[in-house]
Amino acid sequence: MRPGEDDFASWELKAREEVARANPFPERITHAQRAVLEPFKVKRRPSRVDREALEDALDTAASASDMQVLLERHPSLLAATVKGNHGTWVLRQVRLGSEYVPDFLMASETSAGVGRHLVELKSPKARLTNPGNQRESPTLRAALHQIHDWREWLSENLPAAQKKWPGITPQSPGA
């Protein structure tokens, strides 16, 4: 099979998918892949100013977009929620194909490799459980459904996703 032949593109895609499935350590990334993440690296822990901004937002924010603005300005708040002894990166509103846009994608590197975390924000005023029975609220169910959809998309588009975000897997945690 050679480039330009009719079935070359489909064979190439199948080969890439096979390689992606065969990679036993998708969380390990190269220096070149790490360099792509470098502009998004969070280089410090949350400061007192960051924590005060979070407290203020939790008191005054009316929507998820208010929290989005806060976390874009203070990415160390998100970075502090994951363990990354060798680095943590926070990317805002990444695209999963044309269908999905998680609010954030976080990458955290430990000696085991790079873990990816997808984040969906909801209003800080929204309830996670129903007051009467303490079961999942509609807001929480909707967020969990979004995370399920992201994982399904990643399962169906893993080679393309790993090309853009090395180390991502359908099992990447969602929060």
Side-chain angles (χ1 to χ4, degrees), residues 86-164:
H86 303 294
T88 305
W89 301 267
V90 176
L91 293 80
R92 64 182 182 90
Q93 296 189 327
V94 299
R95 296 194 71 78
L96 299 179
S98 60
E99 304 99 291
Y100 304 110
V101 183
D103 294 312
F104 292 95
L105 180 142
M106 297 186 301
S108 58
E109 187 174 22
T110 66
S111 57
V114 175
R116 305 295 177 140
H117 312 269
L118 298 168
V119 178
E120 174 63 22
L121 297 175
K122 296 296 180 197
S123 168
K125 306 294 184 212
R127 296 188 63 91
L128 297 179
T129 59
N130 293 322
N133 59 17
Q134 297 301 307
R135 292 191 178 152
E136 297 171 348
S137 70
T139 302
L140 178 57
R141 277 195 303 278
L144 293 172
H145 185 73
Q146 284 181 293
I147 293 167
H148 172 78
D149 289 347
W150 299 341
R151 288 183 175 152
E152 192 171 290
W153 185 91
L154 286 167
S155 293
E156 294 169 1
N157 300 280
L158 190 56
Q162 287 183 337
K163 185 175 182 181
K164 193 166 186 176

